[in-house]
Amino acid sequence: MCGIVGYCGQKRAANILLEGLKRLEYRGYDSAGICVGTGTDLKCVKKKGKIRVLKGIVPQDMPGTFGIGHTRWATHGEVNDINAHPHLDDSGKIAIVHNGIIENYLSLKEMLISEGYEFKTETDSEVIAHLLVDRYDGDLEKAVRETVLLLKGTFGIVAVHADEPGKMVGARNGSPLVLGIGDGEMFLASDVTAMMAYTKQVVYIEDGEVVSVDCDGFRTSDLKDREIAKQVDHIGWELEEIEKDGFTHFMEKEIHEQPESISRAIRGRLNLDTATGHLGGLNLSIKELHAIERVKIIAIGTSYYASMLGAYLMETVARIPAMAEVASEVRYKNPIVEMNTLYFVVSQSGETADTLYAMRELQRKGATVLGVCNVVGSTIARESDGGVYIHSGPEIAVASTKAFTSQVTVFYLFTLLMARMRDMSLDRGLEIAKALQNVPDQIRHIFSMGNLIRDLAIKYSWVENFLFLGRGIQYPVALEGALKLKEISYIHAEGFSSAEIKHGPIALINEKTPSVFLVPDDALRDKVISNLKEVKARGGKVIALMV
Ligand code: M6R
């Protein structure tokens, strides 16, 4: 959740860093800070709370044309000014920002303390600043390389040194880092949104790489200092896409973007003559697709619920055994790679560590893994063996909305492709293809009921516990609904298969715990309605969404 931005150029660095941090605000944070090099020393300002609070205490005329900034989401140590990044070493010469978790920080800290270093913060990140100063002999890039070799865990790091003005050195392992190439100015950030106002030319830094940057250019190398040639990519998004555009917040904007984002996910991928899906990026021939005997889909959070829905579709519609698994479990369970199995990893950001590491482990064991990602050029998109972009456009809100519906759309397309290669008739295929094309208009229709939905929200705003219940294809939707309510409204919510409530959860039903029922228009309709009646019989209030 943390964010990094670094700048070197001719402009006042403090302003650019603060603006970059503001753009990263959407990721969530609890404190923020910047550190700017003046040419002789480093000036650091950091503060618990919002960026506007930080902005208020950064001197307006703060000099310096290079520096680093950070938004922190506390993991090690409480939320306070001292634990906020950047972290300086004792001499105040070196400053670092870090995203990720240093797993061996305790042993490194003990070692550094025994060597006389004093720690000011409770963070895992501070060890990096002390290790850097310990290794520094006039060459920051070399010190970063040597430090990184001692670290275990995940990191995206950027460091600056007072004696090397105009230079930043970054390194990554598992946390994203991207270089932006401007006109006489350079950026390093955890996310392209921090630099998009200045440049769209970017270089993605990979795990195990070190990048050394000044305003004239950059050098990338591996941990053995072997130079690596990098490709410069162009960001396809426009700046307006990462602005609120009149909406109160990004989540509201992104909910309203769904008719368009779903249309984009479908565009060019639906063949109405043959009633099938066309997904060029899969990199699999018809023969290879035919050889698939089962599908496994790996993801986390909202992407996992979209994957559950995708697996359900593949099994029930295309008749291919399919299941979704949580990436954090797959990663650590020494997963079995089965023959003739197609693996998907699903990730909006394309950077989620558990999903990425699960993918690498499966690939290491010989699996073919396809990515379903939104962020073009993200690590999962680059490292997967093929895949499909969902083309949602930037999802700035931390709470995923339009990505979920586009991920599901892509799974409909894949299911249609597989089903039509097997035994689905042209007529049935056409029915599904046309239904898919109608989805954007159906969503617009739901927007026309905005007032009704708002009234319902107000009516139930006093409630502290909610249940979300659905069956079949609606079961993962119920889980996603519960996740969204707790994440955004801080209201406790649980999702269940409505068939499961009588096996325990029914004990929770009372007049203070309403249930949102998703009632499908299929063979399970009557069963769900009967579950709904059970809830009502116990005095539970019901909000039913009838499909
Ligand atoms: O970027 P990813 O799809 O890999 O992210 C995975 C989850 O962290 C994410 O889906 C999360 O659950 C949602 N943002 C919650 O709304």
Side-chain angles (χ1 to χ4, degrees), residues 300-303 347-349 352 398-400 483-484 487:
I300 216 158
T302 294
S303 296
S347 173
Q348 185 284 127
S349 62
T352 301
V398 171
S400 199
L483 171 66
K484 223 76 312 167
E487 189 180 17

Side-chain angles (χ1 to χ4, degrees), residues 408-446:
V408 168
T409 303
V410 161
F411 281 128
Y412 264 101
L413 290 165
F414 181 76
T415 301
L416 191 58
L417 168 71
M418 295 301 272
R420 285 284 295 133
M421 275 171 32
R422 293 169 181 230
D423 60 1
M424 182 183 276
S425 70
L426 180 68
D427 284 353
R428 177 71 183 131
L430 268 178
E431 224 176 282
I432 293 178
K434 286 186 178 155
L436 206 49
Q437 279 189 319
N438 282 338
V439 171
D441 278 340
Q442 287 171 325
I443 293 181
R444 284 187 194 99
H445 174 64
I446 291 172

Side-chain angles (χ1 to χ4, degrees), residues 369-382:
V369 187
L370 303 182
V372 176
C373 294
N374 187 33
V375 178
V376 176
S378 57
T379 309
I380 292 177
R382 292 199 308 275

Side-chain angles (χ1 to χ4, degrees), residues 129-154:
H130 296 300
L131 286 171
L132 278 176
V133 86
D134 198 63
R135 299 294 187 273
Y136 187 75
D137 63 3
D139 182 348
L140 183 61
E141 184 184 332
K142 179 165 161 280
V144 167
R145 187 171 291 108
E146 288 178 12
T147 296
V148 158
L149 285 168
L150 300 171
L151 304 178
K152 292 204 175 86
T154 52

Side-chain angles (χ1 to χ4, degrees), residues 8 68 119 163 253 272 337 354 369 417 419 425 465 508 510:
C8 56
I68 51 180
F119 279 75
D163 296 342
K253 179 187 177 210
L272 285 181
V337 167
D354 283 327
V369 187
L417 168 71
S425 70
N465 298 293
L508 298 172
N510 58 42

Side-chain angles (χ1 to χ4, degrees), residues 222-488:
D222 66 11
L223 297 181
K224 291 191 171 147
D225 198 16
R226 290 175 297 210
E227 200 153 327
I228 300 171
K230 299 291 289 183
Q231 172 187 322
V232 177
D233 286 303
H234 182 82
I235 307 168
W237 297 342
E238 296 303 324
L239 193 59
E240 301 78 66
E241 290 183 72
I242 57 167
E243 319 237 291
K244 284 193 212 134
D245 200 17
F247 288 95
T248 320
H249 45 71
F250 282 111
M251 184 176 170
E252 185 190 16
K253 179 187 177 210
E254 287 157 13
I255 287 170
H256 282 85
E257 282 173 350
Q258 288 177 100
E260 183 47 34
S261 57
I262 289 176
S263 301
R264 274 202 303 269
I266 297 174
R267 200 163 295 146
R269 292 170 165 174
L270 202 52
N271 186 330
L272 285 181
D273 294 332
T274 51
T276 189
H278 171 74
L279 297 167
L282 297 181
N283 293 341
L284 293 171
S285 66
I286 299 265
K287 245 187 179 168
E288 287 167 320
L289 287 171
H290 262 297
I292 294 168
E293 287 172 7
R294 73 192 74 73
V295 176
K296 285 203 170 163
I297 317 176
I298 321 289
I300 216 158
T302 294
S303 296
Y304 169 66
Y305 297 142
S307 303
M308 279 177 77
L309 203 153
Y312 184 89
L313 281 176
M314 287 175 212
E315 241 180 65
T316 54
V317 179
R319 310 302 298 156
I320 305 166
M323 66 180 288
E325 278 192 89
V326 177
S328 47
E329 295 300 322
V330 173
R331 175 182 174 187
Y332 292 108
K333 75 168 192 188
N334 189 13
I336 297 168
V337 167
E338 295 162 299
M339 295 295 290
N340 303 328
T341 301
L342 179 64
Y343 290 83
F344 278 101
V345 286
V346 183
S347 173
Q348 185 284 127
S349 62
E351 300 291 352
T352 301
D354 283 327
T355 312
L356 173 63
Y357 284 106
M359 175 180 86
R360 286 181 181 161
E361 179 63 2
L362 293 167
Q363 285 174 318
R364 190 188 65 74
K365 293 183 170 184
T368 298
V369 187
L370 303 182
V372 176
C373 294
N374 187 33
V375 178
V376 176
S378 57
T379 309
I380 292 177
R382 292 199 308 275
E383 292 189 18
S384 52
D385 301 299
V388 191
Y389 279 120
I390 60 171
H391 295 312
S392 289
E395 191 173 66
I396 304 292
V398 171
S400 199
T401 53
K402 61 177 180 173
F404 175 80
T405 46
S406 292
Q407 288 163 343
V408 168
T409 303
V410 161
F411 281 128
Y412 264 101
L413 290 165
F414 181 76
T415 301
L416 191 58
L417 168 71
M418 295 301 272
R420 285 284 295 133
M421 275 171 32
R422 293 169 181 230
D423 60 1
M424 182 183 276
S425 70
L426 180 68
D427 284 353
R428 177 71 183 131
L430 268 178
E431 224 176 282
I432 293 178
K434 286 186 178 155
L436 206 49
Q437 279 189 319
N438 282 338
V439 171
D441 278 340
Q442 287 171 325
I443 293 181
R444 284 187 194 99
H445 174 64
I446 291 172
F447 292 155
S448 71
M449 297 189 281
N451 288 340
L452 182 71
I453 297 169
R454 187 172 297 113
D455 290 350
L456 260 180
I458 292 167
K459 180 171 171 193
Y460 286 98
S461 55
W462 56 273
V463 169
E464 288 175 2
N465 298 293
F466 260 99
L467 299 182
F468 281 71
L469 302 159
R471 287 182 77 162
I473 203 163
Q474 306 283 13
Y475 172 41
V477 182
L479 297 177
E480 171 61 9
L483 171 66
K484 223 76 312 167
L485 189 68
K486 51 190 151 193
E487 189 180 17
I488 294 306

